[in-house]
Structure formats: C-alpha cells, structure tokens
Coordinates of all heavy atoms in Angstrom, one line a residue:
K82 N -42.4 180.6 61.0 CA -42.3 179.6 62.0 C -43.7 179.3 62.4 O -44.4 180.0 63.1 CB -41.5 180.0 63.2 CG -40.2 180.7 62.9 CD -39.2 179.8 62.2 CE -37.9 180.5 62.0 NZ -37.9 181.6 61.0
V83 N -44.2 178.1 61.8 CA -45.7 177.8 61.9 C -45.9 176.6 62.8 O -45.2 175.6 62.7 CB -46.3 177.5 60.5 CG1 -47.8 177.3 60.7 CG2 -46.0 178.7 59.6
L84 N -46.7 176.8 63.8 CA -47.1 175.7 64.8 C -48.5 175.2 64.4 O -49.4 176.0 64.4 CB -47.0 176.2 66.2 CG -47.4 175.2 67.3 CD1 -46.5 174.0 67.3 CD2 -47.3 175.9 68.7
L85 N -48.6 173.9 64.1 CA -49.9 173.3 63.8 C -50.4 172.6 65.1 O -49.7 171.8 65.7 CB -49.8 172.2 62.7 CG -49.1 172.7 61.4 CD1 -49.1 171.5 60.4 CD2 -49.8 173.9 60.9
L86 N -51.6 173.0 65.5 CA -52.2 172.4 66.7 C -53.5 171.7 66.4 O -54.2 172.1 65.5 CB -52.5 173.5 67.7 CG -51.3 174.3 68.3 CD1 -51.8 175.3 69.3 CD2 -50.3 173.4 68.9
G87 N -53.8 170.7 67.1 CA -55.1 169.9 66.9 C -55.1 168.7 67.7 O -54.1 168.3 68.3
T88 N -56.2 168.0 67.7 CA -56.4 166.8 68.5 C -55.6 165.7 67.8 O -55.3 165.7 66.6 CB -57.9 166.4 68.6 OG1 -58.4 166.2 67.3 CG2 -58.6 167.4 69.3
S89 N -55.3 164.6 68.5 CA -54.7 163.4 68.0 C -55.6 162.8 66.9 O -56.8 162.6 67.1 CB -54.5 162.4 69.1 OG -54.0 161.2 68.6
G90 N -55.0 162.6 65.7 CA -55.7 162.0 64.6 C -56.4 163.0 63.7 O -57.2 162.6 62.8
C91 N -56.2 164.3 63.9 CA -56.9 165.3 63.1 C -56.2 165.6 61.7 O -56.8 166.3 60.9 CB -57.1 166.6 63.8 SG -55.6 167.6 64.0
G92 N -55.0 165.0 61.5 CA -54.4 165.1 60.2 C -53.2 166.0 60.2 O -52.6 166.2 59.1
K93 N -52.6 166.4 61.3 CA -51.5 167.3 61.3 C -50.3 166.6 60.7 O -49.6 167.3 59.8 CB -51.2 167.7 62.8 CG -52.3 168.3 63.6 CD -51.9 168.7 65.0 CE -51.4 167.6 65.8 NZ -52.5 166.6 66.1
S94 N -49.9 165.4 61.1 CA -48.8 164.7 60.6 C -49.0 164.5 59.1 O -48.0 164.6 58.3 CB -48.5 163.4 61.3 OG -48.3 163.7 62.7
T95 N -50.2 164.1 58.7 CA -50.5 163.8 57.3 C -50.3 165.1 56.5 O -49.7 165.0 55.3 CB -51.9 163.3 57.1 OG1 -52.1 162.1 57.9 CG2 -52.2 163.0 55.7
L96 N -50.7 166.2 57.0 CA -50.5 167.5 56.3 C -49.0 167.8 56.0 O -48.7 168.2 55.0 CB -51.2 168.6 57.0 CG -51.1 170.0 56.4 CD1 -51.7 170.0 55.0 CD2 -51.8 171.1 57.3
L97 N -48.2 167.5 57.0 CA -46.8 167.7 56.9 C -46.3 166.9 55.7 O -45.4 167.3 54.9 CB -46.0 167.4 58.1 CG -46.1 168.2 59.4 CD1 -45.1 167.8 60.4 CD2 -46.0 169.7 59.1
Q98 N -46.7 165.7 55.6 CA -46.3 164.7 54.6 C -46.8 165.2 53.2 O -46.1 165.0 52.2 CB -46.8 163.3 54.9 CG -46.1 162.8 56.2 CD -46.8 161.5 56.7 OE1 -47.7 161.0 56.1 NE2 -46.3 161.0 57.9
V99 N -48.0 165.8 53.2 CA -48.5 166.3 51.9 C -47.6 167.5 51.4 O -47.2 167.6 50.3 CB -50.0 166.7 52.0 CG1 -50.4 167.5 50.8 CG2 -50.8 165.5 52.2
L100 N -47.4 168.4 52.3 CA -46.6 169.7 52.0 C -45.2 169.4 51.6 O -44.6 170.2 50.9 CB -46.7 170.7 53.2 CG -48.1 171.3 53.5 CD1 -48.0 172.1 54.7 CD2 -48.6 172.1 52.3
S101 N -44.6 168.3 52.1 CA -43.3 167.9 51.8 C -43.2 167.0 50.5 O -42.1 166.8 50.0 CB -42.6 167.1 52.9 OG -43.3 165.9 53.1
G102 N -44.4 166.5 50.1 CA -44.4 165.6 48.9 C -44.3 164.2 49.2 O -44.4 163.3 48.3
L103 N -44.1 163.8 50.5 CA -44.0 162.4 50.9 C -45.3 161.7 50.5 O -45.3 160.5 50.2 CB -43.7 162.3 52.4 CG -42.3 162.6 52.8 CD1 -42.2 162.6 54.3 CD2 -41.3 161.6 52.2
V104 N -46.4 162.4 50.7 CA -47.8 161.9 50.2 C -48.1 162.7 49.0 O -48.1 163.9 49.0 CB -48.8 162.1 51.3 CG1 -50.2 161.8 50.8 CG2 -48.6 161.3 52.6
P105 N -48.3 162.1 47.9 CA -48.4 160.6 47.6 C -47.2 160.0 47.0 O -47.2 158.9 46.6 CB -49.6 160.5 46.7 CG -49.4 161.7 45.8 CD -48.9 162.8 46.7
Q106 N -46.1 160.8 46.9 CA -44.9 160.3 46.1 C -44.3 159.1 46.8 O -43.8 158.2 46.1 CB -43.9 161.4 46.0 CG -44.4 162.6 45.2 CD -43.4 163.8 45.2 OE1 -42.2 163.6 45.6 NE2 -43.8 164.9 44.8
T107 N -44.2 159.1 48.1 CA -43.6 157.9 48.8 C -44.6 157.1 49.6 O -44.6 155.9 49.6 CB -42.5 158.5 49.8 OG1 -41.5 159.2 49.1 CG2 -41.8 157.3 50.5
I108 N -45.6 157.8 50.2 CA -46.6 157.2 50.9 C -47.9 157.3 50.1 O -48.4 158.3 49.8 CB -46.9 157.9 52.3 CG1 -45.5 157.9 53.1 CG2 -47.9 157.2 53.1 CD1 -45.6 158.8 54.3
D109 N -48.4 156.1 49.7 CA -49.5 156.1 48.7 C -50.8 156.2 49.4 O -51.4 155.3 49.9 CB -49.4 154.7 47.9 CG -50.4 154.7 46.8 OD1 -50.9 155.8 46.4 OD2 -50.7 153.6 46.3
I110 N -51.3 157.5 49.4 CA -52.6 157.8 50.0 C -53.4 158.6 48.9 O -52.8 159.5 48.3 CB -52.5 158.6 51.3 CG1 -51.8 157.8 52.3 CG2 -53.9 159.0 51.7 CD1 -51.5 158.6 53.6
P111 N -54.6 158.2 48.6 CA -55.4 158.9 47.5 C -55.6 160.4 48.0 O -56.2 160.6 49.0 CB -56.7 158.1 47.4 CG -56.4 156.8 48.1 CD -55.4 157.1 49.1
I112 N -55.1 161.3 47.2 CA -55.4 162.7 47.4 C -55.7 163.4 46.1 O -55.4 163.0 45.0 CB -54.2 163.4 48.1 CG1 -53.0 163.5 47.2 CG2 -53.8 162.8 49.4 CD1 -51.9 164.4 47.7
K113 N -56.4 164.6 46.3 CA -56.7 165.4 45.1 C -56.4 166.9 45.6 O -56.6 167.2 46.8 CB -58.1 165.3 44.7 CG -58.4 164.0 44.0 CD -59.9 163.9 43.5 CE -60.2 162.6 42.9 NZ -61.6 162.6 42.4
F114 N -56.0 167.7 44.7 CA -55.8 169.1 45.0 C -55.8 169.9 43.6 O -55.6 169.3 42.6 CB -54.5 169.4 45.7 CG -53.3 168.7 45.1 CD1 -52.7 169.2 44.0 CD2 -52.9 167.5 45.6 CE1 -51.6 168.5 43.4 CE2 -51.8 166.8 45.1 CZ -51.1 167.3 44.0
D115 N -56.1 171.2 43.7 CA -56.1 172.0 42.5 C -54.7 172.5 42.2 O -54.2 172.5 41.1 CB -57.0 173.2 42.7 CG -58.5 172.8 42.8 OD1 -58.8 171.7 42.4 OD2 -59.3 173.6 43.2
E116 N -53.9 172.8 43.3 CA -52.5 173.2 43.1 C -51.7 172.8 44.3 O -52.3 172.7 45.4 CB -52.4 174.8 43.0 CG -53.1 175.4 41.8 CD -53.0 176.9 41.8 OE1 -52.3 177.4 42.6 OE2 -53.8 177.5 41.0
I117 N -50.4 172.6 44.1 CA -49.6 172.2 45.3 C -48.2 172.8 45.0 O -47.7 172.7 43.8 CB -49.6 170.7 45.6 CG1 -48.9 170.5 47.0 CG2 -48.9 169.9 44.5 CD1 -49.2 169.1 47.5
Q118 N -47.5 173.3 46.0 CA -46.1 173.8 45.8 C -45.3 173.0 46.9 O -45.5 173.1 48.1 CB -46.1 175.3 46.1 CG -44.7 175.9 46.0 CD -44.7 177.3 46.4 OE1 -45.7 177.9 46.9 NE2 -43.5 178.0 46.2
I119 N -44.3 172.3 46.4 CA -43.4 171.5 47.3 C -42.1 172.3 47.3 O -41.5 172.6 46.3 CB -43.2 170.1 46.7 CG1 -44.5 169.4 46.5 CG2 -42.3 169.3 47.7 CD1 -45.3 169.2 47.8
P120 N -41.5 172.5 48.5 CA -40.2 173.1 48.6 C -39.1 172.3 47.9 O -39.1 171.1 47.9 CB -39.9 173.3 50.1 CG -40.8 172.3 50.7 CD -42.0 172.1 49.8
D121 N -38.1 173.0 47.4 CA -37.0 172.3 46.7 C -36.1 171.6 47.6 O -35.7 170.5 47.4 CB -36.1 173.4 45.9 CG -36.9 174.0 44.8 OD1 -37.8 173.3 44.2 OD2 -36.7 175.2 44.5
Q122 N -35.7 172.2 48.8 CA -34.8 171.6 49.7 C -35.5 171.5 51.1 O -35.8 172.6 51.7 CB -33.5 172.3 49.9 CG -32.7 172.3 48.6 CD -31.4 173.0 48.8 OE1 -31.4 174.2 49.0 NE2 -30.3 172.3 48.6
W123 N -35.8 170.4 51.6 CA -36.5 170.3 52.9 C -35.9 169.1 53.7 O -35.3 168.2 53.2 CB -38.0 170.1 52.7 CG -38.4 169.0 51.8 CD1 -38.6 169.0 50.4 CD2 -38.6 167.6 52.1 NE1 -38.9 167.8 49.9 CE2 -39.0 166.9 51.0 CE3 -38.6 166.9 53.3 CZ2 -39.2 165.5 50.9 CZ3 -38.9 165.5 53.3 CH2 -39.2 164.9 52.2
G124 N -36.2 169.2 55.0 CA -35.8 168.1 55.9 C -37.0 167.7 56.7 O -37.9 168.6 57.0

C-alpha cells in the first residue's frame, strides 16, 4: 500500500499513468525507459 506525496505538478498523477501503461499507450507523451513492468489486471 504505497502513498505518493509531493507538490502539485511534481508528476505524481503522471507516474500513476506510466505505471498503469496509460502513458504512452493511451495518452501520447514522449517517454523513455530501460525497463517497465505493467500489471496484468488493474483499475
């Protein structure tokens, strides 16, 4: 159970979208990474 804290605009919401695969699969934002693991079933 992980709580992400930070100032408004620091990227918390964007990180959720990256870890779920919404970025860049649904939301087209240029990103790069060496490795990524997306969960099979998520909400």
Side-chain angles (χ1 to χ4, degrees):
K82 313 297 184 291
V83 182
L84 178 59
L85 307 184
L86 298 180
T88 59
S89 174
C91 74
K93 304 182 300 296
S94 298
T95 302
L96 181 58
L97 292 190
Q98 294 166 3
V99 170
L100 293 175
S101 64
L103 286 174
V104 171
Q106 295 175 16
T107 303
I108 305 170
D109 187 15
I110 298 174
I112 67 171
K113 292 182 179 180
F114 47 78
D115 293 344
E116 297 177 10
I117 193 164
Q118 179 186 8
I119 305 299
D121 294 329
Q122 292 182 301
W123 54 269

